Amino acid sequence: MDILLEFVKTTGFWSIGLGNILMILIGIVFIALAITKDYEPLLLVPIGMGAIVGNVPLIEGMSLSVYDMHRWVLEDGQVVYQPGSVLSYLYFGVSWGIYPPLVFLGIGAMTDFSTMLSNPKLVLLGAAAQVGVFLTFLGAIWLGFDLKQAGAIGIIGGADGPTAIFLSSKLAPELLGAIAIAAYSYMALVPVIQPPIMRLLTTRQERLIRMKPPRKVSRREKMIFPVAAFLICTLVAPGALVLLGMLFFGNLLKESMVTERLANTARTAMIDIVTVLLGFSVGASTEASTFLTRQSLLIFGLGALAFAIATAGGVLFAKFMNLFLKEKINPLVGAAGVSAVPDSARVVQMVGQQEDSHNFLLMHAMAPNVAGVIGSAIAAGVLWAVLT
């Protein structure tokens, strides 16, 4: 009987807590949403499974957690190396900000900036949506977070998971798990969060506005843009150098037409591998003991507010621009200023076609959508520079 009792004590059933059960259920919900609702399955399935794995209770002395990092310790007067867990090595790419630039490389190799180049004024909508970042930054300070933590929380408003991970790894690594989960959760819930805000802030007449088809952009423009845009953006915000450098490098691989093999690798196999590692290790970092805190709940609340403000900021700025434009912009397009590519643009198309099935807004919405990717990276670079 004693042997049986000792065995039972080594099982997860003995030490599992209510917090672990709650986080496992959240992981299951993420997976269910991905499968049944098709909400960002490439993100929610790895994150959900990671949350389940990360909340199985561990046995004392077994190095299994993402937080069991390798270290040097002093034993009997000698310095001894203790290796970390396997998961901690996977998590290394998150905690040191390695995965996000690789994701940006893949995004750049997939992105077509033609619609943005054909109608440059739509870039302003991507910039306007960043109001969510800075208002949330102020809100986090008001709630008692320090400046660095507030900056890391604020970037959730950009609706860009890799950027949120990159900045929080630099400014507030202790909040990395909560910020990453919040950012990716709201990215996945774009089809749920954005439509009510878009309808609330626009009239039916505005939603029916049709825009002219974008002009054809030359190959020369496409090749010049990544180099020119990188120099301009990073001279303004040097802190965005790594993210934007990889984004525009990936785009140059695509548009140069002479490195198709590299571009294809970046936008397929490489970004898929990084997404798996990033999503799973972020999910595994949500151990109940470190994740279920008052700070985490505040971050989730601020993240939702940030995303709503960013969406509203883009829509309202489009309405403001229409006061001065002869060729009106459909204000729905402003909601795509957040950098949840391409889901926000698809939501704009969906809401627009609910009013007029022959109104095609997708290509127009992609302009502020990709501008939002650039804008969130610049916002992160500015916050990093100012707060360090």
Side-chain angles (χ1 to χ4, degrees):
M1 182 62 81
D2 290 339
I3 296 175
L4 179 61
L5 181 61
E6 288 300 316
F7 166 72
V8 171
K9 288 182 179 180
T10 65
T11 66
F13 294 106
W14 181 266
S15 54
I16 193 168
L18 184 61
N20 298 119
I21 295 173
L22 177 60
M23 291 308 303
I24 289 172
L25 290 175
I26 290 174
I28 293 172
V29 168
F30 276 17
I31 295 172
L33 287 173
I35 295 172
T36 62
K37 299 294 185 180
D38 200 32
Y39 290 166
E40 288 287 347
L42 299 182
L43 294 175
L44 288 191
V45 170
I47 291 175
M49 190 63 201
I52 295 172
V53 171
N55 280 280
V56 172
L58 304 179
I59 307 304
E60 187 176 351
M62 297 177 71
S63 182
L64 294 171
S65 168
V66 296
Y67 299 111
D68 290 333
M69 301 289 187
H70 65 91
R71 59 187 183 272
W72 295 89
V73 296
L74 187 65
E75 291 184 2
D76 299 328
Q78 292 184 332
V79 177
V80 179
Y81 175 73
Q82 290 186 346
S85 69
V86 173
L87 289 179
S88 74
Y89 290 109
L90 297 180
Y91 191 66
F92 186 85
V94 176
S95 59
W96 286 81
I98 296 170
Y99 294 146
L102 297 177
V103 172
F104 264 64
L105 176 64
I107 292 173
M110 289 189 286
T111 302
D112 186 352
F113 288 100
S114 296
T115 53
M116 190 178 77
L117 293 173
S118 69
N119 196 354
K121 63 178 176 287
L122 295 180
V123 173
L124 297 175
L125 300 178
Q130 305 312 312
V131 67
V133 172
F134 295 101
L135 288 181
T136 307
F137 168 67
L138 297 175
I141 294 174
W142 182 72
L143 287 174
F145 290 94
D146 64 39
L147 288 176
K148 290 186 177 182
Q149 290 176 333
I153 293 168
I155 205 65
I156 298 173
D160 190 333
T163 302
I165 290 173
F166 183 82
L167 186 63
S168 57
S169 71
K170 305 300 179 186
L171 294 181
E174 70 278 9
L175 302 181
L176 179 56
I179 290 172
I181 293 295
Y184 278 118
S185 297
Y186 295 127
M187 283 176 64
L189 293 174
V190 161
V192 176
I193 297 172
Q194 285 197 309
I197 299 171
M198 295 159 68
R199 294 191 186 96
L200 178 67
L201 297 178
T202 57
T203 65
R204 186 171 189 274
Q205 186 178 1
E206 288 174 326
R207 295 194 291 272
L208 289 172
I209 293 175
R210 293 193 179 189
M211 300 171 65
K212 288 185 177 181
R215 71 172 176 85
K216 184 175 177 59
V217 177
S218 69
R219 182 186 173 197
R220 178 178 296 179
E221 287 178 278
K222 291 182 181 181
M223 287 190 294
I224 292 174
F225 173 74
V227 177
F230 169 74
L231 290 173
I232 293 170
C233 293
T234 52
L235 287 173
V236 172
L241 183 144
V242 176
L243 293 177
L244 290 182
M246 296 297 272
L247 176 74
F248 289 125
F249 173 47
N251 189 247
L252 184 62
L253 292 177
K254 172 182 179 290
E255 301 297 355
S256 68
M257 305 295 288
V258 294
T259 52
E260 183 58 26
R261 282 177 54 194
L262 299 181
N264 190 53
T265 298
R267 63 176 169 251
T268 54
M270 193 203 71
I271 196 171
D272 288 343
I273 291 169
V274 175
T275 299
V276 168
L277 297 177
L278 174 63
F280 186 82
S281 52
V282 163
S285 71
T286 62
E287 293 180 11
S289 58
T290 59
F291 188 76
L292 290 180
T293 63
R294 177 178 176 274
Q295 279 190 331
S296 296
L297 296 177
L298 286 175
I299 288 169
F300 267 80
L302 285 168
L305 180 63
F307 193 71
I309 292 173
T311 301
V315 173
L316 293 175
F317 194 76
K319 290 164 71 81
F320 174 74
M321 289 175 66
N322 279 343
L323 298 176
F324 309 96
L325 295 174
K326 290 183 179 180
E327 296 181 3
K328 305 300 183 183
I329 298 171
N330 189 314
L332 294 176
V333 171
V338 298
S339 59
V341 179
D343 288 333
S344 285
R346 288 174 181 163
V347 168
V348 170
Q349 171 79 354
M350 176 192 73
V351 175
Q353 291 206 320
Q354 286 173 352
E355 303 290 344
D356 178 1
S357 60
H358 299 289
N359 193 5
F360 300 99
L361 297 173
L362 181 61
M363 293 309 296
H364 300 290
M366 283 302 298
N369 211 184
V370 297
V373 176
I374 300 171
S376 64
I378 292 175
V382 170
L383 289 170
W384 188 15
V386 171
L387 299 177
T388 51

